[in-house]
Amino acid sequence: MYRILHTADWHLGKMLGDFSREEEHAAFLDFLLETIRTNDINALLIAGDIFDSANPPQSAVAMYYNFLSQLQRIRECQVIVIAGNHDSPSHIDAPKQLLKHLNTHVVGHLPENIEELLIALPNQENPQVIVAAVPFLRDRDLRTGQSGQSSADIQAVMTQSIADCYRRTVNAVITDKNVPIIAMGHLTVAGSSASDSEREIHIGGLGALTADRFPSEFCYVALGHLHRPQRCGKQDHIRYSGSPIPLSFSEATDKKELVLLEIDATGELKRISIPITPSRQLLVIESSSNEIESILAELAKNPSPNPLPLWVEINIINPTPGENIAAKISSLTEKTHYKVIRIVAKKTSPLPSLSTDLMIEHQQIDELLSRPSDIFDMRVAQELGISVEQQISLKQTFARLLTIHQGE
Ligand SMILES: [Mn+2]
């Protein structure tokens, strides 16, 4: 039996507002090492976005290398890493020769020779599985953009080039044995469900592939980019493992997982989902400003079952204009076990302050529109959780912008 784990979208170095995710990442990596040890994992596939940015903080880079070296002390597990859209391909590729000594294969750029994307596991002599490790493909990798093309043309050429790339990897496989082929990729597969924390993959949403464009020779497609674990196009073998920790509050209710693939001697593949034990829960509360006090009091009574303190986002529905809700919440939550990370004003009607709060008559709107600074000031007054200094700075920036605009 050959056992593979599929994960992606670690986003090491990621912040949530002003708060570091380092403790959660460290807890996940401990969980991953333990899972690899107890399940006798032979190979780990990391499908892109190891880091949150092309220039990650040193602490995130240290975490990555420490993990790879710790893993080899636990057992001889091969690792394949592809670059995602957040990663710098050169940064991922730079330690390529060094990482070979840690059983780790990295693919940052698309190589000239497509065969270099094929990695035989555990080795070339006696392969149990062949992995086509395709990194995130940039327009310059595919050389598709021509001047004078419409965006629909560019999109069609781009998706065709991505599909061709996968086709070419399959064609490059040379083996007389019936060895299963697994693909890796970091891209949007059309019809999948996204959360807030994924940046647009190709400018203008270009390059989304449909699940049926992957060659049928792949017995599994290990995807990264979307943070919610899911299959694609109703095909169970084409999957996003999802991110191991909720990267934004929109992922607060996601059940995070690792995907375990077991390949038996006949090349048959079995897939098992391994739930990730969360180290910290994220919670979204929706409330009116009247009810928030009792909701927070209730929350304070129930300690979080997770090792790290609960983080909360509060959405205040139709806040009372002029009320300093941020100060109120901060005084209510001073000594609680949880932390309020973000306060957001949510309106159920699009322009309540224009129509009701300020009692503006229809004929006054034209007059108001001639005073954009006043509209901006009203908008700023509705924004919760920002200081007076920030309000002044925003208004000054808007005034500068207005001057530039009117100067044109
Ligand atoms: Mn991504």
Side-chain angles (χ1 to χ4, degrees):
M1 191 75 83
Y2 196 80
R3 291 188 179 83
I4 300 173
L5 267 191
H6 163 205
T7 176
D9 295 277
W10 292 3
H11 288 263
L12 300 178
K14 169 91 179 166
M15 307 279 285
L16 188 60
D18 294 334
F19 299 89
S20 157
R21 315 302 301 276
E22 211 169 302
E23 285 177 295
E24 289 149 283
H25 278 129
F28 162 65
L29 293 177
D30 286 346
F31 173 86
L32 182 57
L33 288 170
E34 190 54 19
T35 305
I36 289 170
R37 195 181 62 77
T38 54
N39 290 280
D40 301 326
I41 300 299
N42 303 102
L44 175 68
L45 310 181
I46 312 176
D49 285 356
I50 313 301
F51 298 107
D52 190 54
S53 74
N55 193 8
Q58 288 305 316
S59 57
V61 180
M63 201 175 248
Y64 171 57
Y65 291 131
N66 287 344
F67 168 78
L68 293 175
S69 99
Q70 257 182 307
L71 175 58
Q72 296 311 312
R73 270 179 265 146
I74 285 176
R75 60 180 279 120
E76 199 183 306
C77 177
Q78 307 221 34
V79 183
I80 303 179
V81 178
I82 59 167
N85 57 315
H86 284 243
D87 298 308
S88 149
S90 309
H91 181 237
I92 295 295
D93 272 338
K96 195 183 269 279
Q97 295 307 323
L98 190 61
L99 288 181
K100 276 186 184 166
H101 297 283
L102 289 174
N103 290 317
T104 301
H105 314 262
V106 290
V107 185
H109 291 100
L110 182 68
E112 283 294 320
N113 182 357
I114 204 91
E115 285 162 38
E116 289 172 30
L117 294 177
L118 297 173
I119 298 157
L121 298 176
N123 53 53
Q124 200 70 55
E125 292 68 44
N126 184 26
Q128 303 276 302
V129 59
I130 291 168
V131 178
V134 181
F136 172 68
L137 299 172
R138 289 171 164 80
D139 194 41
R140 62 172 178 272
D141 294 318
L142 302 168
R143 297 186 195 91
T144 50
Q146 308 283 330
S147 58
Q149 276 181 323
S150 73
S151 80
D153 288 345
I154 297 170
Q155 166 135 22
V157 175
M158 187 102 186
T159 39
Q160 188 58 49
S161 312
I162 295 172
D164 286 349
C165 181
Y166 281 98
R167 183 75 254 163
R168 281 161 60 215
T169 62
V170 173
N171 294 346
V173 173
I174 312 160
T175 171
D176 38 9
K177 283 181 257 166
N178 194 18
V179 181
I181 311 170
I182 290 177
M184 291 174 76
H186 192 94
L187 71 165
T188 304
V189 176
S192 314
S193 88
S195 55
D196 282 351
S197 59
E198 300 116 11
R199 260 172 237 161
E200 197 50 62
I201 184 161
H202 292 290
I203 306 293
L206 299 175
L209 216 64
T210 48
D212 58 6
R213 303 292 292 271
F214 290 105
S216 60
E217 285 87 343
F218 294 134
C219 65
Y220 185 79
V221 182
L223 295 172
H225 187 58
L226 299 187
H227 296 165
R228 197 161 284 153
Q230 59 193 293
R231 61 177 185 172
C232 300
K234 298 186 179 151
Q235 304 209 48
D236 282 328
H237 73 292
I238 304 178
R239 298 190 88 84
Y240 288 98
S241 64
S243 60
I245 66 168
L247 292 161
S248 70
F249 279 101
S250 69
E251 297 168 47
T253 57
D254 286 6
K255 297 263 180 289
K256 299 302 189 184
E257 64 174 48
L258 298 163
V259 185
L260 169 61
L261 306 168
E262 289 186 345
I263 300 168
D264 69 15
T266 66
E268 228 14 73
L269 183 138
K270 192 175 146 200
R271 183 180 44 79
I272 301 151
S273 144
I274 300 181
I276 297 171
T277 313
S279 56
R280 179 194 316 282
Q281 197 201 338
L282 301 186
L283 177 72
V284 180
I285 293 175
E286 289 214 349
S287 164
S288 65
S289 45
N290 293 334
E291 281 163 344
I292 191 64
E293 189 162 353
S294 63
I295 291 175
L296 291 176
E298 198 55 40
L299 188 63
K301 285 187 213 155
N302 303 305
S304 166
N306 309 95
L308 297 172
L310 173 72
W311 280 359
V312 182
E313 175 184 280
I314 300 178
N315 295 326
I316 297 291
I317 310 298
N318 298 331
T320 320
E323 184 189 22
N324 193 342
I325 191 80
K328 179 177 167 183
I329 289 172
S330 137
S331 76
L332 288 171
T333 57
E334 244 168 27
K335 289 191 180 82
T336 50
H337 62 83
Y338 58 85
K339 207 183 205 103
V340 177
I341 300 293
R342 210 158 91 107
I343 304 168
V344 186
K346 249 191 168 173
K347 310 272 162 48
T348 49
S349 104
L351 286 171
S353 55
L354 287 184
S355 57
T356 57
D357 304 350
L358 298 171
M359 297 297 212
I360 288 171
E361 299 294 329
H362 200 76
Q363 58 268 33
Q364 284 181 277
I365 290 178
D366 274 348
E367 205 260 318
L368 191 66
L369 285 176
S370 66
R371 294 182 284 125
S373 298
D374 291 356
I375 299 180
F376 189 77
D377 290 356
M378 282 187 248
R379 179 64 187 84
V380 170
Q382 290 176 349
E383 195 61 36
L384 306 174
I386 60 171
S387 66
V388 176
E389 291 76 31
Q390 284 169 320
Q391 289 192 13
I392 293 168
S393 147
L394 274 173
K395 288 177 190 178
Q396 285 170 344
T397 308
F398 185 76
R400 274 212 300 279
L401 195 65
L402 209 60
T403 319
I404 295 167
H405 178 71
Q406 284 162 349
E408 273 175 1

